[in-house]
């Protein structure tokens, strides 16, 4: 099974830095190297940005990052010739738009995120969701709509988003992870910044794809560098602050991330970069588990088993999003498998509506009274409910479009992993904060003054959905492996071109 192409061929030769210029990399080893670099850059940027909140002027942090981003793009991709790949000069309007887009992407939008976060609000898990998982999934969606298997990859992106929410919901217990319930305004701004960042980089990547780096590198570098310089001039940091390891590491990670996304996004590399950015919460969390295991930083504020389960589901989602399929249409497994998969989606939809968690809240009010509340959460408020629904959709789309032999095996493997993860993630809500419970009670969760306990209820609809999905996928795999017409998708060479 072949990974999607990273770069679209622009021409032979190398940049002045000696790095290959837009070469069509399709080797899995190189694809994984790019993916790993983006994961590390995203994770390091989030950690360093978090460490800088409340300690350094946000304008200084963003300004240094933007300047370094522009410098790195210029160093790697600014060739000696001043004309585009087509031999025509780039219109001044196009260069101006690229300059503005680059400045907004690396200075304006990051500053908007900083303006809406503080050292303790919104919680770090929520900030991580909007600045890593949501950004990455949005980039995956951009890459998916331009290629084949659109519906399957878009659904895999949803599964990846849910799995990362499952990781972040276990950063604490009881977790402070609550999407769009508390600090709604800042979260909306962060979501807007994420979508705008992806839109701007998608525009810049499209310009690079059309004009080549020869015409694009300079305006991109100037836009980021000038915007960063303006922010830096407007801030009041001392030289010692600018040379702080926190700021320098954040700037370096931001610059590498910007360079890598722009370099790979002209092709189907948007899928690789997007899945890597979205996987950052799992990478950060797994590192804390390792640190705790070797005794570096003491106790860990996470639940290991649910994090590992959610990370495993995320790995399956990434594989589904990245693995290519055969151009040759295979024979669909049949009406029975299609009917079972459709029934699985309907059952899983019922699982989103039906009660899934019982919640018991106990705490004390400031006037000395005891507060008690018992209520239920529906499936759409839980990680497990969305896992069952999304996997049912993946099976339906796969069966409907026709299964290759190895894709059928992959879907079955993903179902096995998800079924095991589902049992672990059942008690995990997507929010703990509830608007009608007094804040003085909720802010004391996890102390001797207040508690919140989640109890899984009967999840019959989710179980039916998972079971029918497994039956449909199993029947599809059995049919595909027995049918002589079935084509092994891994053995068919594919080269994704323009759509």
């Amino acid at each position: 099974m072949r990974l999607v192409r990273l770069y679209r061929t622009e021409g032979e030769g190398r940049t002045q830095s000696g790095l290959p210029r837009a070469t069509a990399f399709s080797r899995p080893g190189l694809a994984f190297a790019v993916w790993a670099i983006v994961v590390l850059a995203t994770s390091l940027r989030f950690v360093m940005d978090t460490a800088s909140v409340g300690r350094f002027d946000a304008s200084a942090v963003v300004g240094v990052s933007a300047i370094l981003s522009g410098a790195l793009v210029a160093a790697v991709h600014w060739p000696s010739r001043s004309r585009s790949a087509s031999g025509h000069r780039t219109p001044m309007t196009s260069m101006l738009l690229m300059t503005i887009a680059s400045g907004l992407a690396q200075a304006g939008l990051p500053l908007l995120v900083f303006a809406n976060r503080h050292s303790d609000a919104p919680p770090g898990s929520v900030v991580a969701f909007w600045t890593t998982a949501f950004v990455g999934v949005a980039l995956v969606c951009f890459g998916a709509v331009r290629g084949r298997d659109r519906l399957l990859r878009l659904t895999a992106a949803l599964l990846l988003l849910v799995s990362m929410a499952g990781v972040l919901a276990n950063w604490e217990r009881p977790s402070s992870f609550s999407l769009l319930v508390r600090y709604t305004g800042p979260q909306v701004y962060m979501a807007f910044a994420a979508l705008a960042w992806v839109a701007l980089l998608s525009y810049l990547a499209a310009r690079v794809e059309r004009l080549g780096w020869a015409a694009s590198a300079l305006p991109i570098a100037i836009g980021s560098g000038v915007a960063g310089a303006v922010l830096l001039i407007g801030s009041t940091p001392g030289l010692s602050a600018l040379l702080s390891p926190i700021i320098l590491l954040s700037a370096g990670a931001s610059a590498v991330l910007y360079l890598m996304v722009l370099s790979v996004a002209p092709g189907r590399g948007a899928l690789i970069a997007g899945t890597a950015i979205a996987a950052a919460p799992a990478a950060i969390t797994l590192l804390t588990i390792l640190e705790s295991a070797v005794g570096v930083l003491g106790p860990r504020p996470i639940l290991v088993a649910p994090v590992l389960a959610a990370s495993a589901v995320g790995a399956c989602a990434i594989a589904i999003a990245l693995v290519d399929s055969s151009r040759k249409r295979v024979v669909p497994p049949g009406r029975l498998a299609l009917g079972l998969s459709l029934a699985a989606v309907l059952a899983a939809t019922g699982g989103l509506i039906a009660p899934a968690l019982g919640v018991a809240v106990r705490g004390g009010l400031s006037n000395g009274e005891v507060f008690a509340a018992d209520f239920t959460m529906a499936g759409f408020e839980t990680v497990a409910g969305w896992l069952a629904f999304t996997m049912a959709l993946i099976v339906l789309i796969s069966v409907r479009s026709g299964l290759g032999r190895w894709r059928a095996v992959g879907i079955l493997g993903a179902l096995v992993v998800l079924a095991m993860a589902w049992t672990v993630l059942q008690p995990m809500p997507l929010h703990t904060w509830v608007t009608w419970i007094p804040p003085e009670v909720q802010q004391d969760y996890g102390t001797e003054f207040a508690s919140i306990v989640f109890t899984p209820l009967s999840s019959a609809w989710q179980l039916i959905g998972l079971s029918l999905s497994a039956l449909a996928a199993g029947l599809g795999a059995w049919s595909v492996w027995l049918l002589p017409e079935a084509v092994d998708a891994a053995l068919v060479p594919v080269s994704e071109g323009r759509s």
Side-chain angles (χ1 to χ4, degrees):
M1 290 178 283
R2 189 181 62 78
L3 290 175
V4 293
R5 187 176 300 281
L6 282 181
Y7 296 86
R8 190 182 307 284
T9 303
E10 179 191 61
E12 299 300 328
R14 293 177 178 271
T15 60
Q16 290 179 341
S17 66
L19 296 177
R21 183 194 306 138
T23 306
F25 291 111
S26 58
R27 291 173 293 174
L30 183 57
F32 179 76
V34 171
W35 189 88
I37 291 172
V38 175
V39 170
L40 291 175
T42 307
S43 303
L44 182 61
R45 178 185 180 182
F46 172 77
V47 172
M48 293 299 104
D49 283 355
T50 301
S52 71
V53 174
R55 299 180 59 183
F56 301 102
D57 186 352
S59 297
V61 178
V62 176
V64 174
S65 297
I67 292 173
L68 189 56
S69 298
L72 190 59
V73 168
V76 174
H77 284 302
W78 188 15
S80 57
R81 54 199 177 97
S82 61
R83 293 178 181 269
S84 65
S86 62
H88 301 290
R89 290 191 179 277
T90 307
M92 184 60 66
T93 303
S94 182
M95 295 186 67
L96 180 61
L97 289 176
M98 285 191 287
T99 302
I100 295 173
S102 182
L104 288 175
Q106 285 303 92
L109 295 177
L111 190 62
L112 177 62
V113 173
F114 268 100
N116 285 278
R117 64 178 300 191
H118 306 281
S119 57
D120 58 349
S125 57
V126 173
V127 175
F129 178 85
W130 295 113
T131 59
T132 60
F134 187 74
V135 172
V137 167
L139 189 57
V140 170
C141 292
F142 160 73
V145 297
R146 302 181 68 197
R148 298 188 310 276
D149 296 329
R150 293 176 180 84
L151 289 178
L152 184 62
R153 285 175 173 163
L154 289 173
T155 311
L158 176 60
L159 181 61
L160 178 58
L161 188 67
V162 173
S163 65
M164 291 303 103
V167 170
L168 294 169
N170 288 283
W171 271 17
E172 301 166 306
R173 182 55 57 193
S175 178
S176 57
F177 184 72
S178 293
L179 294 178
L180 300 175
V181 177
R182 187 168 53 152
Y183 307 112
T184 304
Q187 291 190 56
V188 170
Y189 281 117
M190 290 182 189
F192 169 78
L195 293 175
W197 189 81
V198 170
L200 290 173
L201 262 69
S202 300
Y203 166 75
L204 291 172
R207 292 286 85 193
V208 171
E209 182 180 22
R210 181 174 180 179
L211 302 174
W213 275 111
S216 305
L218 188 57
I220 290 175
I222 290 176
S224 182
V226 170
V230 170
L231 290 182
L232 205 56
I233 292 172
S235 64
T236 56
L239 182 60
S240 59
L242 294 179
L243 297 179
S244 166
I246 292 177
I247 291 183
L248 293 179
L249 285 173
S250 174
S254 179
V256 170
L257 176 62
Y258 190 54
L259 173 68
M260 295 302 295
V261 173
L262 281 180
S263 298
V264 303
R268 293 300 179 261
L271 296 173
I272 291 180
T275 55
I277 293 172
I284 296 169
T285 311
L286 294 177
L287 177 61
T288 64
I289 294 175
L290 177 62
E291 289 174 339
S292 180
V294 298
V296 176
L297 295 179
R300 53 178 176 261
I302 61 172
L303 299 181
V304 176
V307 163
L308 293 178
S311 299
V313 174
C316 292
I318 291 171
I320 294 171
L322 293 184
V323 171
D324 226 338
S325 65
S326 169
R327 275 186 178 179
K328 185 174 181 179
R329 187 178 180 84
V330 299
V331 178
R335 292 183 179 179
L336 180 56
L338 185 59
L340 287 172
S341 60
L342 181 59
V345 171
L346 295 176
T349 303
L352 290 176
I353 302 172
L357 285 180
V359 188
V361 174
R362 302 291 183 270
L365 300 174
S366 57
N367 59 9
E369 296 181 0
V370 175
F371 179 87
D374 296 280
F375 57 98
T376 61
M377 284 186 171
F380 69 87
E381 298 175 275
T382 68
V383 175
W386 283 105
L387 289 181
F389 174 77
T390 309
M391 197 65 218
L393 272 182
I394 288 176
V395 172
L396 173 61
I397 294 169
S398 300
V399 170
R400 177 65 182 84
S401 60
L403 289 167
R405 287 184 172 180
W406 293 109
R407 170 165 287 179
V409 172
I411 295 295
L412 275 177
L415 268 168
V416 171
V417 172
L418 188 139
M420 293 187 294
W422 180 85
T423 61
V424 178
L425 295 171
Q426 261 192 293
M428 307 305 162
L430 287 174
H431 66 89
T432 54
W433 195 269
V434 182
T435 55
W436 52 268
I437 294 180
E440 60 183 305
V441 173
Q442 300 189 80
Q443 65 189 9
D444 287 335
Y445 285 158
T447 69
E448 66 270 24
F449 303 108
S451 66
I452 181 170
V453 178
F454 299 95
T455 305
L457 303 177
S458 174
S459 303
W461 288 111
Q462 295 179 31
L463 280 172
I464 292 172
L466 286 173
S467 301
L468 292 176
S469 296
L471 287 174
L475 180 60
W478 178 77
S479 301
V480 168
W481 275 89
L482 286 184
L483 287 173
E485 309 96 302
V487 177
D488 185 345
L491 301 180
V492 180
V494 179
S495 176
E496 291 201 15
R498 296 180 185 272
S499 299

